Amino acid sequence: MNGPLNITAESLAEEAAKLQRKLAAGIGTLRDMDAGVTFGVTPREEVWRDGKMVLYRFRGERAPTAKIPLLISYALVNRPYMVDLQVDRSLVKGLLERGEDVYIIDWGYPDRSDRFLNLEDYIERFIGGAVDYLRNAHALEAINLLGICQGGTFALCYAALHPGKVKNLITMVTPVDFHTQDNMLSNWNREIDVDLLVDTLGNVPADMMNFTYLMLKPWRLFAQKYVGMVDILDDRRAMEDFLRMEKWIFDSPDQAGEAFREFSKQFFQENRFVTGGAKVGDREVHLGLLDMPILNIYAEQDHLVPPDASRALHGLCGSEDYTELSFKGGHIGIYVSGRAQKEVPQTIHDWLGKRSR
């Protein structure tokens, strides 16, 4: 007679033997991978820098056909090689193959000397410097700007302050309304004494940030994925993919204290894109001044930036040429899933192609 879970001594013995075989195979797999995993596969060259911030230009297998360069502004909280993780999971590669001329900002790793970098530094000095470099290098009045996650929030600020320098604006998984009910990260942030945190720590440690993100889905991110890893121990390619993603997740920079203070208070706590009064330095940011074409891409299962947080842009921007792409996936899947490789670069390329003449 079987119990409700149909567990027998024989089935338990078979599972134990299966686990033992997987672990034994895993030893061989991991030994073969002693050189580690690689990431950031597309050749690139440094073209401009300011402090630790570096502007790179990607080089594809053929020369770009696009006349207007595309500048990617990524978030501060993780490294930007997520958009070029591996050869078959690369937004950058997909854009280059379609003829786009792709540049990316690498913010670097802030240290104690960067504690007083603020939003004006990141948006006006770094993004603004990169935009001006590209305008001069390509002899253009305006370039195309792609902002991702927090980098999308920065891109919105920059484009609203300098609409004449942004030809087309693309935002991906970008928070605009930080107070939607399903935004757990924002709800937590609102309970933090940010002044006390920054005044005490200076820069905000990357490990603290990572632990916060992992706690948004503790079962899945602390336990389930590592239990699932046992099933792929005998598959070298699957293990390389797993370890590459682990490397990216935990390769996080500390956050410059003053920029973290400003971003947390203005956006997470006071939701100033919606309520008004967002500022970069002494200048106020009004999303209604975004009059350039906008493509807003959000992920339907995004637990970090819920769809409504991104879709709010439609009601706040001043553009009469506004397009949305709803991606069936999550915050990470929008870069690395098989569906993303087929849909996202092609959508961006087609959309830009109609607006970059």
Side-chain angles (χ1 to χ4, degrees):
M1 181 177 179
N2 296 325
L5 299 180
N6 198 24
I7 295 175
T8 65
E10 291 79 7
S11 65
L12 286 175
E14 176 56 29
E15 284 296 319
K18 182 179 176 182
L19 175 62
Q20 197 170 35
R21 290 194 295 271
K22 286 282 185 182
L23 293 175
I27 294 174
T29 302
L30 295 172
R31 278 179 176 162
D32 291 342
M33 295 168 56
D34 59 357
V37 295
T38 59
F39 48 83
V41 293
T42 304
R44 64 181 189 176
E45 62 177 332
E46 177 182 333
V47 295
W48 181 76
R49 72 162 53 222
D50 182 350
K52 297 182 177 67
M53 174 266 176
V54 181
L55 177 64
Y56 289 101
R57 184 182 195 180
F58 288 103
R59 295 294 187 183
E61 295 182 354
R62 61 188 180 95
T65 56
K67 303 299 182 186
I68 303 175
L70 176 63
L71 173 63
I72 298 176
S73 165
Y74 198 76
L76 301 178
V77 295
N78 287 108
R79 300 290 292 149
Y81 58 78
M82 171 52 76
V83 297
D84 186 39
L85 194 64
Q86 62 190 64
V87 67
D88 59 344
R89 301 184 185 192
S90 171
L91 170 64
V92 168
K93 181 170 179 284
L95 291 169
L96 292 173
E97 288 175 344
R98 291 163 175 81
E100 297 298 331
D101 192 0
V102 184
Y103 294 77
I104 194 167
I105 293 172
D106 184 338
W107 306 109
Y109 294 86
D111 58 28
R112 293 177 64 184
S113 68
D114 300 310
R115 172 183 173 175
F116 296 103
L117 289 177
N118 56 28
L119 291 186
E120 187 175 23
D121 289 310
Y122 281 102
I123 294 169
E124 293 285 28
R125 176 179 160 192
F126 296 144
I127 293 180
V131 170
D132 287 342
Y133 169 85
L134 294 177
R135 291 170 64 238
N136 292 329
H138 292 265
L140 295 168
E141 288 296 319
I143 58 110
N144 296 326
L145 181 59
L146 165 56
I148 297 175
C149 191
Q150 183 188 30
T153 304
F154 288 0
L156 288 170
C157 291
Y158 180 82
L161 293 172
H162 304 279
K165 295 183 180 182
V166 180
K167 176 77 172 176
N168 298 292
L169 176 62
I170 303 165
T171 51
M172 284 181 63
V173 290
T174 292
V176 177
D177 183 350
F178 286 73
H179 285 190
T180 56
Q181 290 186 346
D182 51 354
N183 193 332
M184 187 182 296
L185 184 62
S186 179
N187 276 293
W188 286 358
N189 189 291
R190 273 177 268 171
E191 301 302 320
I192 296 174
D193 186 335
V194 177
D195 288 329
L196 180 60
L197 179 72
V198 173
D199 291 343
T200 303
L201 297 177
N203 289 343
V204 178
D207 288 344
M208 177 185 292
M209 298 291 293
N210 261 330
F211 185 75
T212 301
Y213 293 126
L214 294 174
M215 284 303 293
L216 290 169
K217 287 191 172 183
W219 165 245
R220 179 176 174 181
L221 298 177
F222 277 115
Q224 188 181 29
K225 71 173 181 177
Y226 297 112
V227 172
M229 183 192 71
V230 175
D231 289 331
I232 61 172
L233 278 173
D234 55 353
D235 184 334
R236 173 168 178 158
R237 181 169 180 177
M239 277 301 298
E240 286 178 343
D241 291 349
F242 179 86
L243 293 175
R244 189 176 290 110
M245 186 61 70
E246 288 292 287
K247 167 70 175 175
W248 176 79
I249 290 172
F250 293 101
D251 182 15
S252 300
D254 294 342
Q255 300 295 294
E258 288 307 314
F260 182 88
R261 187 201 310 266
E262 285 189 73
F263 192 86
S264 292
K265 294 177 77 169
Q266 289 204 45
F267 297 108
F268 278 112
Q269 297 188 349
E270 298 170 8
N271 201 24
R272 290 195 187 178
F273 274 158
V274 175
T275 61
K279 280 191 170 182
V280 176
D282 294 330
R283 299 185 64 189
E284 197 161 321
V285 176
H286 298 282
L287 297 187
L289 296 178
L290 296 170
D291 58 357
M292 68 290 294
I294 296 174
L295 171 60
N296 187 17
I297 305 172
Y298 61 89
E300 294 180 6
Q301 284 81 49
D302 194 334
H303 70 291
L304 292 173
V305 183
D308 284 346
S310 291
R311 287 193 294 244
L313 179 59
H314 189 195
L316 295 170
C317 72
S319 176
E320 295 180 354
D321 183 358
Y322 175 89
T323 307
E324 283 184 355
L325 171 65
S326 173
F327 177 78
K328 293 181 179 178
H331 194 78
I332 303 303
I334 200 169
Y335 316 115
V336 300
S337 69
R339 180 192 297 273
Q341 310 313 307
K342 297 175 183 176
E343 294 182 5
V344 177
Q346 190 65 50
T347 298
I348 292 174
H349 175 69
D350 291 345
W351 185 83
L352 285 175
K354 297 175 182 176
R355 295 166 176 82
S356 294
R357 298 181 180 86

